[in-house]
Amino acid sequence: MTFKNRLGSTTAIALGLAVLGHAVHAEEPTILLDAVIIGYEEDGTPITAGSNTTGLDAEDLTAQGGTIAIDDILRTQTSVFTQHDPANPGVAVNIRGFEGSGRVSTMVDGVPQNFRYTGHAAQGLTYVDENLLAGIDITRGATTTKGGGGIAGSVNFRTISARDVVDGEGFGGLLRFSYGNNQNSKSSMIATAYADDTAEALVAFSRHDADNFEDGSGATRNFTYKDNWSGLIKLGYNLDDRQKISFSAMQYNADFAANSYEQDLTSSTFTFGYGFNAGDGLINLDVNLFLADIETEYLRYVGTSPFGGGSVGRIMQTRTTGFNATNISEFAPGAWDVVSINGVEYSRDKLAGSNSGVNPANGDARRAAIFTENIFTRAAWEITAGLRYDSYSLEGSTTSGTLDTSHGSLNPKLTVAYWATDWFQPYATISRASRSPTLQETMLGGTHPGGGTGGMVGNPELRPEISTGFELGFNIERSGLLQEGDRLSGRVNYYRMNVEDYVIATPGFTNAWGATGYAFTNVPGTTQTSGVEVQLDYEAELYDLGLSFTKNDSKLPAQLAGLGTGQYLPDSTWSLRAARHFLDDTLTVGGQYNYTSGGLYTAPYSGVATQRDASYSLVDIFASYKVNESFTVHAKVSNLFDKTYVPWLGDDQTGPGRSIYIGGEARF
């Protein structure tokens, strides 16, 4: 068991194979697209490309007593937070203070998750079952390769494959189960799979059921129940020793009550992949076709306003189709070794629905990109030069008029790194990234239910956000620090982002059609944010230790709940993890301390940012015991001291009190 946040985990050759996201490959290691390890020093120290990337694998996700709470896991990573409403099972990722509307490019198995929503909630939600996760890949800052298009970074949620279930070859099965006392929560997942040198197949089903939780004072939080299920199918086949095809289908269904309405949501994702590896180091091609279809329906009003209930029957749907193609080449011109990543990606969002309120129910957004990233290494030097061209177009009709707009942006990135010693690598990065306006921002319309807020109008002249910035830091990879076989790894860095044309909601705006009301507009000038990030992990024979620290200095303009919820990170966050192994590494006992400071804060329904000095700290303890090679039991106590607190970037309501979880994992 480890708490290590991996900066990378394989050579460039393995990277080229693993980019074939769903293809069959025996014993293929987990990798990160942007965390290329060019090679290794003589002492085994990896040489990385300097990208600020964290890779969490299945062991990391279940290390704390076997539970996988996506929001909790993301909130312990440096400069990563979530816009969290416990009534809504969706995940809205915040990186470096930027969230919503694609500022963080979010994917499931590489498929863009572009469901947007303008209401009293996050402006972009991803729906994925934590029981089906195999890992989470997080990239901070500009991304020039596949998965770019955001200004703050990207997150990819990877689901399990046959190789995560089968030990070796043949048939295998995996069962996960847990119970929590606070919500009377029950969770289970069963998967069966087959794998050999030619084919792979996986079928998995997961179910979550929970009541409303109680906070630290014993008060019940209404509408925090869960009623979710999901299913996953993956197939893969080797056409020959160079070609692979794959298919996956996943459906997620949730019944919940958020934004004053009971809702029924369905998220379906389909992919088809083709991979070709010529074996010459020059052609290692990955092509993926995908479809993501997310739809929610309002079933019943559960709010308290006498004006409520008019949105019963509301349907909002976003269907995203597209493809991406990536080729990775390796060659050595002269004294330099080069890994070259080149590709294209395209996606289209199509809106549909009825009685959708201020959200558009029809519209068409298309995004396309062509990119190249080239990593040059020579002795201790490592230079990464990336270039990405993004373009988009929007078409649709608003209550004010019809629009047809398009933009393009050329976005470069350069990283220079140098191994000053065999364990210490300073680096510097400069970059530019762009984020296109969404259909929901550009085509805002209608009026607020119950009145009192004024009309909403579209803005056909809305421009993309442009981020330019730099990052200075160093990587550490040191073995034998305190004892033989131990390892200290991590990263310390400072970043600054300057964003032009940042998009916020503005009252009293008159658009190009002459209509006046609330609209999304570009903030004049430059909006700045900066911070310090520290991620350190120490592993020894008997101990695992981890430290995450973020210091944030944000000058973002305030957001208005309902037209862009607050995005300010706390001024600082700490996460300290420690675990001790016993009984020949079969028993692990540990704990985690999380601290969240105060900071600038936008209260619900307010567009004014104020300082909120309401810090809080939480302690969790956990244990796991490996009964045998096939069965592990685990336990966790979260919020050990039963504190009453209000989570940062939540719904301004109290979080869960002390909760005890027990469960296990069985392989068969």
Side-chain angles (χ1 to χ4, degrees):
M1 183 174 293
T2 178
F3 294 101
K4 180 174 175 290
N5 291 315
R6 294 162 179 79
L7 298 176
S9 58
T10 187
T11 65
I13 296 175
L15 170 71
L17 297 174
V19 171
L20 308 180
H22 310 291
V24 182
H25 186 75
E27 304 301 324
E28 183 177 290
T30 299
I31 59 85
L32 304 176
L33 180 61
D34 252 349
V36 182
I37 293 180
I38 304 303
Y40 293 85
E41 299 284 4
E42 291 183 359
D43 66 349
T45 301
I47 304 172
T48 70
S51 294
N52 194 331
T53 304
T54 297
L56 303 174
D57 62 17
E59 192 172 303
D60 297 315
L61 298 182
T62 59
Q64 297 183 43
T67 60
I68 306 176
I70 298 177
D71 286 283
D72 292 345
I73 290 171
L74 290 175
R75 286 177 173 228
T76 62
Q77 310 305 312
T78 56
S79 280
V80 181
F81 229 70
T82 57
Q83 186 80 239
H84 182 43
D85 176 0
N88 194 319
V91 181
V93 184
N94 183 308
I95 294 181
R96 294 178 172 176
F98 295 93
E99 177 270 327
S101 300
R103 293 184 174 100
V104 176
S105 177
T106 309
M107 298 158 285
V108 174
D109 287 333
V111 179
Q113 302 296 296
N114 294 336
F115 181 74
R116 315 293 183 211
Y117 173 72
T118 300
H120 305 300
Q123 287 182 291
L125 292 164
T126 297
Y127 295 90
V128 60
D129 192 321
E130 54 265 36
N131 271 342
L132 297 179
L133 284 181
I136 305 175
D137 302 335
I138 305 164
T139 299
R140 303 165 187 83
T143 300
T144 54
T145 53
K146 185 173 67 175
I151 60 172
S154 64
V155 176
N156 184 38
F157 297 96
R158 291 180 285 108
T159 60
I160 59 174
S161 66
R163 291 293 174 182
D164 296 308
V165 176
V166 176
D167 183 12
E169 294 189 351
F171 288 95
L174 174 64
L175 173 66
R176 290 175 177 168
F177 59 92
S178 68
Y179 172 78
N181 71 322
N182 191 341
Q183 294 177 276
N184 189 31
S185 63
K186 297 176 285 294
S187 173
S188 60
M189 186 275 286
I190 186 168
T192 182
Y194 174 84
D196 61 24
D197 289 338
T198 302
E200 291 184 5
L202 167 82
V203 178
F205 181 81
S206 176
R207 184 81 168 87
H208 298 266
D209 183 25
D211 299 328
N212 297 322
F213 68 70
E214 294 182 355
D215 65 14
S217 66
T220 299
R221 281 289 316 277
N222 292 328
F223 308 120
T224 57
Y225 62 85
K226 289 184 178 180
D227 186 6
N228 310 336
W229 66 266
S230 60
L232 173 66
I233 297 173
K234 286 188 176 181
L235 304 172
Y237 184 73
N238 291 339
L239 299 174
D240 53 38
D241 60 353
R242 300 193 301 175
Q243 299 182 86
K244 307 170 185 180
I245 57 173
S246 60
F247 170 79
S248 70
M250 180 169 58
Q251 181 157 317
Y252 175 99
N253 181 268
D255 294 319
F256 58 94
N259 205 39
S260 299
Y261 286 86
E262 285 187 354
Q263 301 181 44
D264 179 68
L265 180 138
T266 301
S267 174
S268 303
T269 303
F270 302 91
T271 67
F272 176 79
Y274 170 78
F276 176 75
N277 186 352
D280 58 2
L282 296 179
I283 301 177
N284 196 342
L285 178 66
D286 169 42
V287 179
N288 291 289
L289 308 177
F290 55 78
L291 164 66
D293 192 347
I294 303 176
E295 178 181 303
T296 188
E297 180 180 1
Y298 284 17
L299 303 178
R300 185 171 71 90
Y301 182 67
V302 295
T304 58
S305 171
F307 304 104
S311 297
V312 171
R314 169 176 296 176
I315 296 176
M316 292 180 293
Q317 180 187 36
T318 300
R319 173 172 290 185
T320 302
T321 55
F323 71 91
N324 55 62
T326 303
N327 185 70
I328 299 181
S329 302
E330 295 181 282
F331 48 93
W336 291 87
D337 293 328
V338 181
V339 174
S340 183
I341 305 171
N342 301 277
V344 297
E345 56 184 358
Y346 170 86
S347 65
R348 176 189 181 190
D349 294 338
K350 184 71 174 177
L351 302 182
S354 60
N355 190 25
S356 58
V358 302
N359 292 275
N362 62 81
D364 191 297
R366 303 169 191 248
R367 291 169 303 278
I370 182 171
F371 56 82
T372 180
E373 183 170 279
N374 300 277
I375 304 148
F376 305 87
T377 58
R378 179 180 180 182
W381 287 99
E382 183 177 331
I383 300 173
T384 303
L387 187 64
R388 178 184 174 95
Y389 180 77
D390 287 283
S391 67
Y392 78 94
S393 63
L394 302 178
E395 297 179 5
S397 299
T398 73
T399 53
S400 304
T402 301
L403 66 89
D404 184 352
T405 183
S406 61
H407 287 276
S409 178
L410 189 63
N411 302 314
K413 180 179 179 181
L414 177 66
T415 296
V416 178
Y418 180 77
W419 284 103
T421 68
D422 60 1
W423 58 269
F424 178 72
Q425 184 194 40
Y427 71 91
T429 296
I430 56 173
S431 63
R432 185 182 193 270
S434 61
R435 197 271 302 183
S436 59
T438 66
L439 288 165
Q440 288 76 9
E441 290 172 316
T442 310
M443 298 171 58
L444 184 71
T447 58
H448 188 279
T453 305
M456 315 291 175
V457 299
N459 182 2
E461 298 178 328
L462 198 61
R463 298 182 299 277
E465 295 173 342
I466 304 294
S467 171
T468 57
F470 67 88
E471 183 175 318
L472 300 172
F474 57 86
N475 298 316
I476 298 173
E477 291 282 347
R478 180 70 182 269
S479 300
L481 181 65
L482 300 179
Q483 64 185 64
E484 184 179 357
D486 71 356
R487 183 168 179 264
L488 174 67
S489 62
R491 179 192 301 270
V492 178
N493 65 279
Y494 170 83
Y495 71 88
R496 176 174 292 180
M497 297 173 61
N498 299 308
V499 180
E500 297 179 3
D501 291 326
Y502 188 75
V503 176
I504 65 170
T506 303
F509 175 78
T510 301
N511 63 20
W513 297 300
T516 300
Y518 281 85
F520 286 101
T521 64
N522 297 105
V523 176
T526 300
T527 298
Q528 186 183 99
T529 184
S530 61
V532 175
E533 301 166 343
V534 179
Q535 181 73 59
L536 297 173
D537 296 279
Y538 177 76
E539 299 176 356
E541 181 180 3
L542 298 178
Y543 297 95
D544 290 324
L545 304 173
L547 170 67
S548 298
F549 169 74
T550 302
K551 175 64 176 176
N552 176 68
D553 182 15
S554 175
K555 296 179 175 60
L556 295 175
Q559 307 291 296
L560 178 65
L563 291 173
T565 51
Q567 299 184 28
Y568 296 105
L569 291 183
D571 287 342
S572 62
T573 56
W574 289 83
S575 180
L576 179 63
R577 308 175 301 281
R580 172 69 157 83
H581 307 297
F582 301 91
L583 303 178
D584 294 327
D585 206 24
T586 60
L587 173 65
T588 298
V589 178
Q592 178 156 309
Y593 170 80
N594 296 318
Y595 170 79
T596 303
S597 76
L600 281 177
Y601 179 76
T602 306
Y605 315 117
S606 171
V608 179
T610 58
Q611 184 72 18
R612 188 177 80 168
D613 297 319
S615 63
Y616 59 91
S617 57
L618 301 173
V619 176
D620 302 337
I621 58 173
F622 53 87
S624 66
Y625 178 64
K626 190 174 184 179
V627 179
N628 53 46
E629 292 298 322
S630 301
F631 185 54
T632 301
V633 294
H634 47 74
K636 178 180 180 179
V637 181
S638 63
N639 193 1
L640 176 65
F641 300 110
D642 207 18
K643 286 194 172 184
T644 302
Y645 69 102
V646 176
W648 195 269
L649 284 188
D651 60 352
D652 222 33
Q653 302 294 317
T654 50
R658 183 188 298 118
S659 304
I660 302 173
Y661 300 91
I662 57 174
E665 180 175 294
R667 293 181 178 273
F668 53 90

